[in-house]
Amino acid sequence: LLPASTRCMRRQKKFFLSSDEKIGQSVVTGRSQLIQLRVDSDDPETVHKQLFLWYKTQIQKHIAYRLAALCPVSLAYGGSHVACAHDAASLGELHGSGVITLNTHLIKAPPQCLDYVLLHEIAHLQEHNHSQRYYAVLERLLPNWKAVRRELEAWSPLVLN
């Protein structure tokens, strides 16, 4: 069961989940620090699915925007794509096909944490392990990756729920 409200760690906004018989689709409205998600059911499973779909939509929008901003031309990431998974065992994963899978819950973390996971996996396109060469690629992509990784480690228990 979902509580009447659930805290989203990203930007410390609180999400209120409510049922609204007059609205047939999920609607998110933002007023200052409040985002309201309305669903057309009181069923906890339906509410959970709607919240997940909203998270997935938000992370997909953010990923597209961040890929354009983060990827240098020399990295040539254009041939692959990024997928999102709700039940991912990890925060991110690069598959042999070149597809990157990110945990949908990353949208709840600060934006720089999502950037770190995305760039961590993109760096694996050049170096497929965690060697010194890999960390040199990551350092070039995100010079402050160590600080961001520490921040992500602090956020992980909060956002992966």
Side-chain angles (χ1 to χ4, degrees), residues 10-83:
R10 187 171 189 217
R11 297 187 189 117
Q12 293 296 322
K13 291 185 179 180
K14 193 166 188 175
F15 290 87
F16 290 93
L17 306 176
S18 62
S19 173
D20 190 335
E21 303 269 333
K22 298 176 186 172
I23 298 176
Q25 296 182 357
S26 297
V27 176
V28 177
T29 58
R31 293 186 314 259
S32 76
Q33 293 298 308
L34 174 68
I35 295 177
Q36 203 170 44
L37 175 66
R38 293 186 181 143
V39 296
D40 59 356
S41 173
D42 285 328
D43 176 51
E45 187 175 325
T46 300
V47 172
H48 187 268
K49 285 179 184 177
Q50 291 294 323
L51 179 61
F52 166 71
L53 289 174
W54 184 79
Y55 280 144
K56 188 173 183 177
T57 301
Q58 295 306 303
I59 198 169
Q60 287 170 334
K61 288 178 190 176
H62 188 73
I63 288 168
Y65 169 76
R66 295 310 296 155
L67 273 176
L70 293 170
C71 291
V73 175
S74 63
L75 202 56
Y77 185 65
S80 302
H81 72 278
V82 179

Side-chain angles (χ1 to χ4, degrees), residues 88-102:
S90 64
L91 294 172
E93 182 180 0
L94 174 65
H95 301 274
S97 63
V99 172
I100 293 174
T101 301
L102 297 180

Side-chain angles (χ1 to χ4, degrees), residues 105-137:
H105 289 292
L106 276 171
I107 195 63
K108 296 184 265 182
Q112 64 271 19
C113 293
L114 190 146
D115 288 354
Y116 164 76
V117 176
L118 187 59
L119 290 172
H120 178 101
E121 300 308 329
I122 288 172
H124 280 305
L125 291 169
Q126 289 186 357
E127 293 295 329
H128 299 286
N129 53 38
H130 289 109
S131 65
Q132 288 182 337
R133 290 191 314 237
Y134 165 81
Y135 286 109
V137 172

